[in-house]
Amino acid sequence: MAQAGAGRRYVRAFVSGFFVAVPVTVTVLDRFAYVARVEGASMQPSLNPEGNVTGSDVVLLNRWSVRNYQVRRGDIVSVLSPKNPQQKIIKRVIALEGDFIKTLGYKNRYLKVPDGHFWIEGDHHGHSLDSNSFGPVSLGLVHGRASHIIWPPNRWQRIEPSIPPERMPLLNWHADATEDEEKD
Amino acid sequence: MFRRVLGKTLGFLGYTVQYGCIAHCAFEYIGEFVACSGPSMEPTITSHDVVFSERLSRHLCRIEKGDIVIAKSPFDPHMNICKRVIGLEGDKICTSGPSDVFKTHQYPRLPQPTLRPAISLKPITVPKGHVWLEGDNLRNSTDSRSYGPVPYALIRGRVCLKLWPPHNFGALNQSPTGRIVKRSD
């Protein structure tokens, strides 16, 4: 009878452990950090520089820092795709609400990003499904900010926010003149 | 004695974390209580009503036409909106309001480049991955007729039950406006 007792204790320990581990893991993945594999070539050369030949990059997405929808220009963010709600796309933030930008292949040549929206682009122009196809993206769709590349080990690095100089916004409509450039 | 206090504190923290996580999973994946305000869904939902919105439909992509949904506002992610789904992706909506802000729908190119408010009826096709939301109180509702189709991923949940006031407890009524698009195939 000792074996039945041990078996039952094992089952009870497993079930109680399960009910602790699963909610905690789900909460951590939803609120704090998420790990995702980057597929495709739209963010070359920052992410996946050799395509899928040597394996895709795996990035750490910080979900806590976007809980108040605060993103900065130049961040790489993951966003729920406006075209497919079950897919997440990972792109760079080029402009925030109120910025005037010059687009690359969008319907309007120049655009003011509306309130509550932001403009994302892949680093590999031409191979990227981004705001140049579907327009400004609502801030409510932001999922996480890519903070580190964690795989492959020879590409361990912190991802720093940076915008290519030719993609900087032309003007910002809000009274934030100290950090924005005014081009001719 | 210090070790006992430490042990009890850690145990208390452990229980808090565990129950907090279970609460998060319940509110995120099962459903949440929402207090509505504003006149845009009258007479179905009046201001200060409390409703229960379930999250399973949204995660399983089972939102249908005629459902009342809670969604994040496209122009302010901190605010939520409560509207009815009138059309899903691919449906043609006839609307007579001003054109949408982004010019995302297909319509013949106007001869003048400037955008002016259009009073005539024209059909708008809801793009892929978007839904068309309208309030039941058409006269007093800011919805897709002003800001265009809303991405499906902004939807948080489907309202299924009205909880307060108690004399109105129960399921919600069908759309009183008759604006729901029939399947066009």
Side-chain angles (χ1 to χ4, degrees):
Chain A
M1 289 300 116
Q3 274 173 332
R8 202 173 302 148
R9 267 205 310 274
Y10 177 78
V11 168
R12 204 182 315 155
F14 180 81
V15 166
S16 66
F18 181 83
F19 277 108
V20 169
V22 168
V24 170
T25 310
V26 169
T27 306
V28 166
L29 290 177
D30 278 351
R31 295 264 179 194
F32 298 105
Y34 196 84
V35 174
R37 177 181 286 271
V38 178
E39 313 211 329
S42 62
M43 284 297 291
Q44 285 177 348
S46 320
L47 300 177
N48 270 5
E50 286 116 43
N52 287 339
V53 174
T54 47
S56 326
D57 284 352
V58 175
V59 293
L60 183 70
L61 296 170
N62 184 345
R63 303 208 59 188
W64 184 250
S65 62
V66 296
R67 70 192 183 280
N68 280 331
Y69 310 103
Q70 284 175 329
V71 290
R72 292 168 299 183
R73 295 178 193 85
D75 276 346
I76 299 186
V77 292
S78 69
V79 159
L80 293 165
S81 169
K83 293 285 184 198
N84 180 355
Q86 290 167 314
Q87 193 190 36
K88 296 178 189 53
I89 56 179
I90 187 160
K91 299 282 181 273
R92 194 181 290 276
V93 177
I94 297 293
L96 300 177
E97 62 186 8
D99 290 348
F100 256 115
I101 52 164
K102 185 169 191 295
T103 66
L104 294 172
Y106 186 56
K107 288 187 261 272
N108 305 340
R109 194 92 183 278
Y110 294 92
L111 174 79
K112 173 171 179 272
V113 180
D115 282 347
H117 289 70
F118 64 125
W119 188 268
I120 55 173
E121 282 181 6
D123 286 346
H124 195 180
H125 303 302
H127 280 83
S128 166
L129 188 69
D130 52 24
S131 283
N132 289 311
S133 326
F134 43 70
V137 176
S138 176
L139 267 174
L141 293 176
V142 77
H143 179 256
R145 188 173 62 86
S147 58
H148 295 79
I149 300 180
I150 56 178
W151 189 268
N154 61 327
R155 280 183 51 78
W156 277 352
Q157 60 187 276
R158 203 184 142 95
I159 299 181
E160 298 295 338
S162 75
I163 308 187
E166 69 272 9
R167 301 301 303 141
M168 291 284 283
L170 303 173
L171 181 64
N172 185 279
W173 212 240
H174 297 180
D176 215 16
T178 46
E179 58 168 65
D180 292 316
E181 288 188 8
E182 261 201 43
K183 291 243 183 96
D184 42 335
Chain B
M1 185 204 135
F2 177 69
R3 205 173 296 161
R4 240 185 344 140
V5 169
L6 189 63
K8 276 199 198 282
T9 314
L10 286 179
F12 176 72
L13 278 178
Y15 273 120
T16 312
V17 166
Q18 181 185 352
Y19 288 121
C21 293
I22 293 181
H24 167 88
C25 289
F27 287 130
E28 187 69 30
Y29 295 100
I30 300 180
E32 56 184 0
F33 301 100
V34 181
C36 304
S37 68
S40 61
M41 282 298 290
E42 287 176 1
T44 317
I45 300 177
T46 41
S47 197
H48 307 304
D49 280 358
V50 176
V51 298
F52 180 74
S53 90
E54 51 100 0
R55 303 275 215 153
L56 287 173
S57 308
R58 183 250 182 260
H59 288 292
L60 300 174
C61 283
R62 287 203 182 287
I63 303 276
E64 290 167 13
K65 270 187 278 219
D67 286 345
I68 303 181
V69 295
I70 309 275
K72 288 192 235 188
S73 164
F75 287 93
D76 182 1
H78 297 282
M79 273 188 24
N80 294 322
I81 57 176
C82 175
K83 302 278 182 265
R84 197 181 286 267
V85 175
I86 299 294
L88 300 171
E89 65 187 18
D91 288 339
K92 288 193 177 28
I93 313 278
C94 277
T95 178
S96 60
S99 296
D100 62 300
V101 193
F102 307 140
K103 294 200 232 181
T104 51
H105 56 267
Q106 325 271 339
Y107 66 101
R109 205 173 270 283
L110 295 173
Q112 294 129 306
T114 53
L115 188 67
R116 49 185 183 153
I119 315 296
S120 56
L121 285 177
K122 60 185 179 305
I124 296 178
T125 309
V126 180
K128 192 165 180 305
H130 288 66
V131 294
W132 189 269
L133 301 178
E134 282 182 12
D136 283 351
N137 188 358
L138 286 174
R139 287 180 207 278
N140 204 350
S141 164
T142 321
D143 47 35
S144 286
R145 291 170 299 158
S146 11
Y147 47 67
V150 173
Y152 185 100
L154 283 178
I155 294 179
R156 287 175 65 121
R158 183 180 72 95
V159 174
C160 56
L161 205 58
K162 201 197 282 197
L163 299 173
W164 187 269
H167 60 87
N168 258 343
F169 183 93
L172 293 124
N173 303 325
Q174 301 289 326
S175 167
T177 57
R179 292 265 302 159
I180 304 210
V181 181
K182 303 278 184 298
R183 276 209 62 94
S184 50
D185 53 5

